[in-house]
Amino acid sequence: MKNIIGNNTKLILLHPYIQKQGTSYRLWVLACISFLTIAFLLALIYTKESSTASSVAAVSSITASTNPPLSKAVVRALTHYASNSNNTERMSYTDIKQIADVLRQCQQPCNLLVFGLTHETLLWKALNHNGRTVFIDENRYYAAYIEEKYPEIEAYDVQYTTKLSEMKELIGAVKEQIRNECKPVQNLLFSECKLGINDLPNQFYEVNWDVILVDGPRGYWPEAPGRMSAIFTAGVLARSKKCGNPKTHVFVHDFNQKVDRITSQEFLCKENLVNSKDMLGHFVIGRMDPNSYNYCRNHI
């Protein structure tokens, strides 16, 4: 019997390691499939949530554009003027309305530059709600105070080196350098013209300003800086626009003051004066060819 079994029967032995190896392999495959399934479900859920969030955001955006909320700037301005309506240094209604009408018609986004931090600062910011409004002031401490109190205000300080009593000499110096440092069309950042403001941030000179208001610095006594630099700089910025609306509205407040009127006639020009009412002069200045060397036609 032993011989028969030994000759005709084959005995197969399964080693325990082989059985364990097959079981481990199946468990590994099952784990992979489970992981992939869970990952797929999570991705599907995330996609649905993202899609829903996007839809909600889109609807919210449409609603906001249709019914825009009152901005903080408008609220601050209304509050400010409600509590300071008797301020003796404020602009007249006639002057404010002229500027407000131009800002309302300005193509958006409108770039507004204001020389002087005044009682109307918050109003200008509010009226140019969808645009950029920049303020330039002679007092660095007051500029810092305004920016801290009203974070939405963008203000820079300038150290003026001019004196009101030197107006004639300064205008004469500009005329002598009209083909060099004091050209009507130039980037003032690189200019050494005595009336040019060249110490503002670089990007300031790349902005195409649509509306410029000169309501500073001070200019009521001989040693005051006067507004000669502000008026000259406004004229150069307007003539040096590279794109956008080729025309710039320039307003000069206190236009009834002799120095402001003379400087405006020299660098903003009589032919560009469209209105002079109350204490405000309104000029519209067009973009000029870089090869032109005369501010006004009557200077040719």
Short mmCIF file of all heavy atoms in Angstrom, two decimals, residues 74-106:
data_model
loop_
_atom_site.label_atom_id
_atom_site.label_comp_id
_atom_site.label_asym_id
_atom_site.label_seq_id
_atom_site.Cartn_x
_atom_site.Cartn_y
_atom_site.Cartn_z
N VAL A 74 -19.29 107.94 2.08
CA VAL A 74 -20.51 108.76 1.99
C VAL A 74 -21.09 108.99 3.38
O VAL A 74 -21.49 110.10 3.74
CB VAL A 74 -21.54 108.09 1.07
CG1 VAL A 74 -22.86 108.85 1.10
CG2 VAL A 74 -21.02 108.02 -0.36
N VAL A 75 -21.11 107.93 4.15
CA VAL A 75 -21.64 108.04 5.52
C VAL A 75 -20.83 109.04 6.33
O VAL A 75 -21.37 109.91 7.03
CB VAL A 75 -21.65 106.67 6.22
CG1 VAL A 75 -22.05 106.81 7.67
CG2 VAL A 75 -22.61 105.72 5.50
N ARG A 76 -19.50 108.93 6.23
CA ARG A 76 -18.63 109.84 6.97
C ARG A 76 -18.84 111.29 6.51
O ARG A 76 -18.88 112.22 7.32
CB ARG A 76 -17.16 109.45 6.78
CG ARG A 76 -16.76 108.17 7.49
CD ARG A 76 -15.29 107.86 7.22
NE ARG A 76 -14.88 106.59 7.78
CZ ARG A 76 -14.47 106.42 9.03
NH1 ARG A 76 -14.44 107.47 9.85
NH2 ARG A 76 -14.09 105.24 9.47
N ALA A 77 -18.96 111.47 5.20
CA ALA A 77 -19.14 112.83 4.68
C ALA A 77 -20.46 113.44 5.15
O ALA A 77 -20.50 114.59 5.59
CB ALA A 77 -19.08 112.80 3.16
N LEU A 78 -21.52 112.67 5.06
CA LEU A 78 -22.81 113.18 5.50
C LEU A 78 -22.79 113.52 6.99
O LEU A 78 -23.31 114.56 7.40
CB LEU A 78 -23.90 112.13 5.22
CG LEU A 78 -24.17 111.85 3.73
CD1 LEU A 78 -25.17 110.72 3.59
CD2 LEU A 78 -24.68 113.10 3.03
N THR A 79 -22.17 112.64 7.76
CA THR A 79 -22.07 112.90 9.20
C THR A 79 -21.24 114.15 9.47
O THR A 79 -21.58 114.99 10.31
CB THR A 79 -21.42 111.70 9.92
OG1 THR A 79 -22.19 110.52 9.63
CG2 THR A 79 -21.37 111.90 11.41
N HIS A 80 -20.14 114.26 8.74
CA HIS A 80 -19.23 115.40 8.92
C HIS A 80 -19.95 116.72 8.64
O HIS A 80 -19.86 117.67 9.42
CB HIS A 80 -18.05 115.22 7.97
CG HIS A 80 -17.07 116.35 8.01
ND1 HIS A 80 -16.16 116.54 9.03
CD2 HIS A 80 -16.86 117.36 7.13
CE1 HIS A 80 -15.42 117.61 8.79
NE2 HIS A 80 -15.83 118.12 7.64
N TYR A 81 -20.65 116.78 7.52
CA TYR A 81 -21.28 118.03 7.14
C TYR A 81 -22.54 118.32 7.95
O TYR A 81 -22.90 119.49 8.13
CB TYR A 81 -21.57 118.05 5.64
CG TYR A 81 -20.30 118.27 4.87
CD1 TYR A 81 -19.58 117.20 4.35
CD2 TYR A 81 -19.76 119.54 4.76
CE1 TYR A 81 -18.38 117.40 3.72
CE2 TYR A 81 -18.56 119.75 4.12
CZ TYR A 81 -17.87 118.68 3.59
OH TYR A 81 -16.66 118.89 2.98
N ALA A 82 -23.16 117.28 8.46
CA ALA A 82 -24.32 117.51 9.32
C ALA A 82 -23.90 118.17 10.63
O ALA A 82 -24.66 118.94 11.21
CB ALA A 82 -25.02 116.18 9.62
N SER A 83 -22.67 117.88 11.06
CA SER A 83 -22.20 118.42 12.34
C SER A 83 -21.33 119.66 12.17
O SER A 83 -20.96 120.29 13.16
CB SER A 83 -21.41 117.35 13.10
OG SER A 83 -20.29 116.93 12.33
N ASN A 84 -21.01 120.04 10.95
CA ASN A 84 -20.14 121.20 10.74
C ASN A 84 -20.68 122.13 9.67
O ASN A 84 -19.92 122.75 8.92
CB ASN A 84 -18.73 120.73 10.32
CG ASN A 84 -18.01 119.98 11.42
OD1 ASN A 84 -17.40 120.58 12.30
ND2 ASN A 84 -18.09 118.66 11.39
N SER A 85 -21.96 122.23 9.56
CA SER A 85 -22.55 123.02 8.49
C SER A 85 -22.30 124.52 8.63
O SER A 85 -22.46 125.27 7.69
CB SER A 85 -24.07 122.76 8.44
OG SER A 85 -24.66 123.09 9.68
N ASN A 86 -21.90 124.97 9.82
CA ASN A 86 -21.67 126.40 10.05
C ASN A 86 -20.19 126.77 10.01
O ASN A 86 -19.81 127.86 10.44
CB ASN A 86 -22.25 126.81 11.42
CG ASN A 86 -23.76 126.70 11.44
OD1 ASN A 86 -24.43 126.98 10.43
ND2 ASN A 86 -24.32 126.30 12.58
N ASN A 87 -19.36 125.86 9.51
CA ASN A 87 -17.92 126.13 9.42
C ASN A 87 -17.68 127.33 8.49
O ASN A 87 -18.11 127.35 7.34
CB ASN A 87 -17.21 124.88 8.89
CG ASN A 87 -15.70 125.00 9.01
OD1 ASN A 87 -15.10 125.97 8.58
ND2 ASN A 87 -15.09 123.98 9.60
N THR A 88 -16.95 128.33 8.98
CA THR A 88 -16.75 129.55 8.19
C THR A 88 -15.75 129.38 7.06
O THR A 88 -15.68 130.22 6.16
CB THR A 88 -16.28 130.69 9.12
OG1 THR A 88 -15.08 130.28 9.79
CG2 THR A 88 -17.34 131.02 10.16
N GLU A 89 -14.94 128.30 7.07
CA GLU A 89 -13.91 128.11 6.05
C GLU A 89 -14.38 127.22 4.91
O GLU A 89 -13.60 126.88 4.02
CB GLU A 89 -12.65 127.50 6.69
CG GLU A 89 -12.01 128.42 7.72
CD GLU A 89 -10.75 127.81 8.30
OE1 GLU A 89 -10.41 126.66 7.93
OE2 GLU A 89 -10.09 128.46 9.12
N ARG A 90 -15.60 126.84 4.92
CA ARG A 90 -16.09 125.93 3.88
C ARG A 90 -16.30 126.67 2.55
O ARG A 90 -16.46 127.89 2.51
CB ARG A 90 -17.40 125.28 4.32
CG ARG A 90 -18.54 126.24 4.56
CD ARG A 90 -19.74 125.50 5.12
NE ARG A 90 -20.82 126.43 5.48
CZ ARG A 90 -21.76 126.81 4.64
NH1 ARG A 90 -21.76 126.38 3.39
NH2 ARG A 90 -22.70 127.65 5.03
N MET A 91 -16.30 125.89 1.48
CA MET A 91 -16.58 126.44 0.17
C MET A 91 -18.05 126.85 0.07
O MET A 91 -18.90 126.31 0.77
CB MET A 91 -16.30 125.39 -0.92
CG MET A 91 -14.90 125.36 -1.45
SD MET A 91 -14.84 124.30 -2.92
CE MET A 91 -13.09 124.29 -3.23
N SER A 92 -18.32 127.75 -0.85
CA SER A 92 -19.70 128.14 -1.08
C SER A 92 -20.43 127.03 -1.84
O SER A 92 -19.80 126.18 -2.49
CB SER A 92 -19.76 129.43 -1.88
OG SER A 92 -19.29 129.21 -3.20
N TYR A 93 -21.73 127.05 -1.78
CA TYR A 93 -22.53 126.06 -2.50
C TYR A 93 -22.25 126.13 -4.00
O TYR A 93 -22.15 125.11 -4.68
CB TYR A 93 -24.02 126.29 -2.23
CG TYR A 93 -24.92 125.43 -3.08
CD1 TYR A 93 -25.15 124.09 -2.76
CD2 TYR A 93 -25.52 125.94 -4.22
CE1 TYR A 93 -25.96 123.29 -3.55
CE2 TYR A 93 -26.34 125.16 -5.02
CZ TYR A 93 -26.55 123.84 -4.68
OH TYR A 93 -27.35 123.06 -5.47
N THR A 94 -22.09 127.35 -4.51
CA THR A 94 -21.85 127.54 -5.95
C THR A 94 -20.55 126.87 -6.38
O THR A 94 -20.50 126.18 -7.41
CB THR A 94 -21.80 129.04 -6.28
OG1 THR A 94 -23.02 129.66 -5.88
CG2 THR A 94 -21.61 129.25 -7.78
N ASP A 95 -19.50 127.05 -5.60
CA ASP A 95 -18.20 126.45 -5.93
C ASP A 95 -18.26 124.93 -5.86
O ASP A 95 -17.75 124.23 -6.74
CB ASP A 95 -17.12 126.98 -4.99
CG ASP A 95 -16.81 128.45 -5.22
OD1 ASP A 95 -17.22 128.98 -6.27
OD2 ASP A 95 -16.16 129.07 -4.35
N ILE A 96 -18.86 124.41 -4.79
CA ILE A 96 -18.95 122.96 -4.63
C ILE A 96 -19.74 122.33 -5.77
O ILE A 96 -19.37 121.29 -6.30
CB ILE A 96 -19.59 122.62 -3.27
CG1 ILE A 96 -18.63 122.99 -2.12
CG2 ILE A 96 -19.94 121.13 -3.18
CD1 ILE A 96 -19.22 122.79 -0.74
N LYS A 97 -20.82 122.98 -6.16
CA LYS A 97 -21.68 122.41 -7.20
C LYS A 97 -20.96 122.31 -8.54
O LYS A 97 -21.12 121.34 -9.28
CB LYS A 97 -22.95 123.25 -7.36
CG LYS A 97 -23.99 122.61 -8.29
CD LYS A 97 -25.25 123.43 -8.35
CE LYS A 97 -26.30 122.70 -9.20
NZ LYS A 97 -25.83 122.41 -10.57
N GLN A 98 -20.12 123.32 -8.86
CA GLN A 98 -19.37 123.27 -10.12
C GLN A 98 -18.48 122.03 -10.17
O GLN A 98 -18.44 121.32 -11.19
CB GLN A 98 -18.51 124.52 -10.26
CG GLN A 98 -19.27 125.79 -10.54
CD GLN A 98 -18.33 126.95 -10.82
OE1 GLN A 98 -17.63 126.99 -11.84
NE2 GLN A 98 -18.29 127.91 -9.90
N ILE A 99 -17.78 121.78 -9.08
CA ILE A 99 -16.88 120.62 -9.03
C ILE A 99 -17.67 119.32 -9.01
O ILE A 99 -17.33 118.35 -9.69
CB ILE A 99 -15.96 120.73 -7.80
CG1 ILE A 99 -15.14 122.02 -7.86
CG2 ILE A 99 -15.03 119.52 -7.71
CD1 ILE A 99 -14.40 122.36 -6.60
N ALA A 100 -18.74 119.30 -8.22
CA ALA A 100 -19.56 118.09 -8.12
C ALA A 100 -20.17 117.71 -9.46
O ALA A 100 -20.24 116.53 -9.81
CB ALA A 100 -20.66 118.30 -7.07
N ASP A 101 -20.58 118.70 -10.24
CA ASP A 101 -21.18 118.42 -11.56
C ASP A 101 -20.17 117.77 -12.49
O ASP A 101 -20.50 116.86 -13.25
CB ASP A 101 -21.71 119.72 -12.17
CG ASP A 101 -22.97 120.23 -11.48
OD1 ASP A 101 -23.59 119.45 -10.72
OD2 ASP A 101 -23.32 121.41 -11.68
N VAL A 102 -18.91 118.25 -12.45
CA VAL A 102 -17.87 117.66 -13.30
C VAL A 102 -17.56 116.24 -12.87
O VAL A 102 -17.41 115.34 -13.70
CB VAL A 102 -16.60 118.54 -13.28
CG1 VAL A 102 -15.43 117.82 -13.94
CG2 VAL A 102 -16.86 119.87 -13.97
N LEU A 103 -17.48 116.01 -11.56
CA LEU A 103 -17.19 114.66 -11.06
C LEU A 103 -18.31 113.70 -11.41
O LEU A 103 -18.06 112.52 -11.72
CB LEU A 103 -17.00 114.71 -9.53
CG LEU A 103 -15.71 115.35 -9.04
CD1 LEU A 103 -15.72 115.47 -7.52
CD2 LEU A 103 -14.49 114.56 -9.50
N ARG A 104 -19.53 114.17 -11.40
CA ARG A 104 -20.67 113.30 -11.73
C ARG A 104 -20.62 112.86 -13.19
O ARG A 104 -21.02 111.76 -13.54
CB ARG A 104 -21.98 114.04 -11.45
CG ARG A 104 -23.23 113.21 -11.71
CD ARG A 104 -24.47 113.95 -11.24
NE ARG A 104 -24.57 115.27 -11.84
CZ ARG A 104 -25.10 115.49 -13.04
NH1 ARG A 104 -25.55 114.48 -13.77
NH2 ARG A 104 -25.17 116.70 -13.53
N GLN A 105 -20.08 113.73 -14.07
CA GLN A 105 -20.01 113.42 -15.49
C GLN A 105 -18.69 112.76 -15.89
O GLN A 105 -18.52 112.33 -17.04
CB GLN A 105 -20.20 114.70 -16.31
CG GLN A 105 -21.56 115.35 -16.09
CD GLN A 105 -21.65 116.74 -16.72
OE1 GLN A 105 -20.74 117.18 -17.42
NE2 GLN A 105 -22.75 117.44 -16.47
N CYS A 106 -17.76 112.66 -14.96
CA CYS A 106 -16.45 112.10 -15.26
C CYS A 106 -16.57 110.60 -15.55
O CYS A 106 -17.26 109.87 -14.83
CB CYS A 106 -15.52 112.31 -14.07
SG CYS A 106 -13.81 111.77 -14.36
#
